[in-house]
Amino acid sequence: MTGLRASKRHLFVYSSCPPTICHNHPNFEISPHNRMSEYRKLTDTGISSDSSTPCAARLNAQLNSQHRHWKLPAGVYLLEEALQLPSGTHLKLDPKAVLRLADGAATRNEHYLIRNADLQGGNTDIHIEGGTFDGNQDGNPRPEGLLDAGYSGASLHFENVSNFSLKNITFTNSEAYYARFTKVHNFRIEQIRFDSDRVRPNNDGIHLGGNCRDGVIRDIRALRPAVTGDDMVALNADDALQRTEVHGMTNGPIENILIEDIHAESCHTFVRILSVTSPIRNIRIRGLHGGCMNCAINADGARRCRVPVFDEANPPFADGVGILEDIHISDLFVWKTSQTRHALIDIHERCWNVKIDNFQRQREHDQSPDSPSLRFNHFILPSAQLDEQTIPGQDLLDPNPPFES
């Protein structure tokens, strides 16, 4: 950033016999909308938008008719059940349209504000644009225990979906994840805003679980400090599936994802990359701007999470956990907004062909200037290049100290 003191760093971790390498560049093409199809108003049958009358059942009846292209006018729509979008749905919301989860509407794992219609059989060609999605966290709390049955806290859940897009949507007041996805491919998520009157733990923004591939996540912004309350974007190929917030997700590879243009004044973490045994491959992350309380890039193997994802005393590989391959991170203009010892780039997972370009720590804003910018730990580091310096391969497994810079 012009006029700010910054430390500019470049890193490359060389390949050293990775399990596999994906050389294909991702193809993010999505079938164009049928612009000739007529968009009808979902409210033409008298559905109320006065925020007091639940209307989800009537909206779902319309969505499940033969027509598939819909508009939702301005207003507040109270949902007593999740909107369920079948294949072929194109839903355009007025910028002043609000979908709000009714008090007590979400008590079970399968309850959401909005989801695709066929979680098991799958759906295709779903496109949503505009409006505000309000999870009404005060009226729909999670269970108190970390492993309790009940509402996961997720507002949007897409599972087993191909060829979809989310665009120009504001998410607010989610109890846990704002938007989560598993077994999805060929997607675009763009122009997403996050806001909340009450920040909650585990408030991930865009959360990809296992078996996701071929997608673009771009132009993501937090609208106030401390939002999101957890990762702005999460790539969790492995997770604690028994945890309340994670019920309904899956573990598996995440491949061919572009993440760019992420902004926050003071989020928890910009991007999490979580792999234990499932690979995360061919990922491009660029354009992170702003402050974070913990990390810009967190690949710590979920070691600091309250529910472990693996047994630290018996990791799945002799040389640590994780399979990160072909990860390119660039154009980071970031700083710490709290005094923690987390490194801005914190990598504790085995990695091959990881490249970091144009990492600039904005020291004038930094609230934890003595914390590391970069940390490698808990695996055997292949040879690497940091700026103009070659870093020889080294054993970073316990009890050896981490590499920090």
Side-chain angles (χ1 to χ4, degrees):
M1 291 183 176
T2 303
L4 299 181
R5 292 184 292 113
S7 53
K8 186 173 181 179
R9 314 300 299 273
H10 302 270
L11 172 79
F12 183 68
V13 180
Y14 295 108
S15 174
S16 178
C17 300
T20 60
I21 290 292
C22 176
H23 293 290
N24 296 325
H25 294 288
N27 178 4
F28 300 122
E29 291 300 317
I30 288 184
S31 300
H33 294 192
N34 181 359
R35 300 184 184 276
M36 301 302 294
S37 181
E38 176 191 1
Y39 277 83
R40 298 178 185 172
K41 290 183 180 179
L42 278 166
T43 53
D44 281 348
T45 58
I47 292 173
S48 172
S49 63
D50 65 2
S51 79
S52 62
T53 305
C55 60
R58 295 182 66 186
L59 288 172
N60 278 326
Q62 291 281 85
L63 291 167
N64 281 284
S65 68
Q66 293 298 313
H67 197 73
R68 286 290 181 264
H69 290 64
W70 298 100
K71 295 189 296 185
L72 194 64
V76 179
Y77 301 85
L78 195 64
L79 306 185
E80 77 281 10
E81 64 185 34
L83 287 192
Q84 301 180 30
L85 307 186
S87 295
T89 297
H90 295 233
L91 177 60
K92 289 188 176 182
L93 289 81
D94 184 276
K96 295 183 179 180
V98 178
L99 300 178
R100 177 173 297 153
L101 197 60
D103 288 351
T107 58
R108 298 172 60 87
N109 169 56
E110 62 269 20
H111 293 165
Y112 307 100
L113 175 72
I114 187 168
R115 68 173 177 88
N116 61 296
D118 191 349
L119 302 181
Q120 300 304 314
N123 294 107
T124 63
D125 191 29
I126 296 176
H127 305 277
I128 310 171
E129 179 177 351
T132 296
F133 294 179
D134 183 350
N136 182 19
Q137 59 192 207
D138 289 336
N140 294 279
R142 282 173 283 177
E144 292 185 3
L146 293 173
L147 307 179
D148 289 348
Y151 179 40
S152 69
S155 291
L156 180 148
H157 178 82
F158 271 17
E159 178 178 352
N160 202 4
V161 179
S162 64
N163 192 33
F164 77 89
S165 64
L166 303 178
K167 183 178 181 181
N168 196 22
I169 295 169
T170 297
F171 287 91
T172 186
N173 297 329
S174 185
E175 173 65 3
Y177 303 158
Y178 290 89
R180 69 180 200 176
F181 309 86
T182 187
K183 295 190 286 187
V184 300
H185 60 93
N186 198 26
F187 62 90
R188 286 183 183 269
I189 301 170
E190 302 175 293
Q191 296 174 255
I192 303 299
R193 306 295 180 257
F194 294 112
D195 197 2
S196 189
D197 298 323
R198 178 168 161 250
V199 176
R200 298 284 289 136
N202 313 113
N203 263 159
D204 281 7
I206 303 299
H207 181 103
L208 299 191
N211 305 293
C212 293
R213 58 181 171 84
D214 302 331
V216 173
I217 301 169
R218 66 157 58 101
D219 189 4
I220 311 296
R221 283 166 168 73
L223 299 183
R224 69 174 80 188
V227 175
T228 59
D230 212 314
D231 312 312
M232 288 276 286
V233 176
L235 309 182
N236 285 23
D238 295 299
D239 214 333
L241 300 182
Q242 74 276 24
R243 185 168 175 163
T244 301
E245 293 84 6
V246 191
H247 288 168
M249 300 295 280
T250 64
N251 291 338
I254 297 177
E255 301 174 311
N256 307 335
I257 308 295
L258 170 63
I259 301 167
E260 64 180 357
D261 193 19
I262 314 296
H263 292 251
E265 182 178 342
S266 180
C267 63
H268 179 281
T269 292
F270 278 100
V271 179
R272 174 184 284 278
I273 305 172
L274 176 52
S275 164
V276 175
T277 59
S278 302
I280 297 179
R281 301 188 180 106
N282 202 19
I283 308 298
R284 183 76 164 88
I285 301 169
R286 63 192 181 204
L288 307 185
H289 302 263
C292 55
M293 289 176 273
N294 286 288
C295 303
I297 303 291
N298 181 4
D300 70 350
R303 287 176 168 85
R304 294 187 285 259
C305 290
R306 292 180 291 172
V307 179
V309 182
F310 69 96
D311 182 358
E312 189 79 59
N314 186 29
F317 307 109
D319 57 345
V321 303
I323 304 172
L324 307 183
E325 304 175 17
D326 291 346
I327 313 293
H328 188 186
I329 302 165
S330 67
D331 305 321
L332 277 63
F333 306 91
V334 294
W335 57 88
K336 296 290 286 289
T337 60
S338 64
Q339 294 183 353
T340 68
R341 284 296 299 168
H342 306 315
L344 275 168
I345 299 178
D346 220 354
I347 299 178
H348 302 215
E349 300 167 19
R350 303 183 314 155
C351 57
W352 298 267
N353 294 335
V354 173
K355 186 177 182 180
I356 302 170
D357 284 326
N358 195 21
F359 167 55
Q360 300 193 35
R361 184 170 186 169
Q362 309 298 310
R363 298 284 182 178
E364 286 195 1
H365 298 306
D366 208 297
Q367 300 300 306
S368 185
D370 295 330
S371 64
S373 292
L374 172 69
R375 178 187 288 122
F376 289 128
N377 202 7
H378 300 299
F379 67 101
I380 297 176
L381 178 69
S383 59
Q385 183 172 330
L386 177 61
D387 299 329
E388 301 301 321
Q389 176 186 1
T390 297
I391 303 170
Q394 50 193 290
D395 186 347
L396 303 177
L397 296 170
D398 289 338
N400 297 324
F403 171 87
E404 295 182 347
S405 176

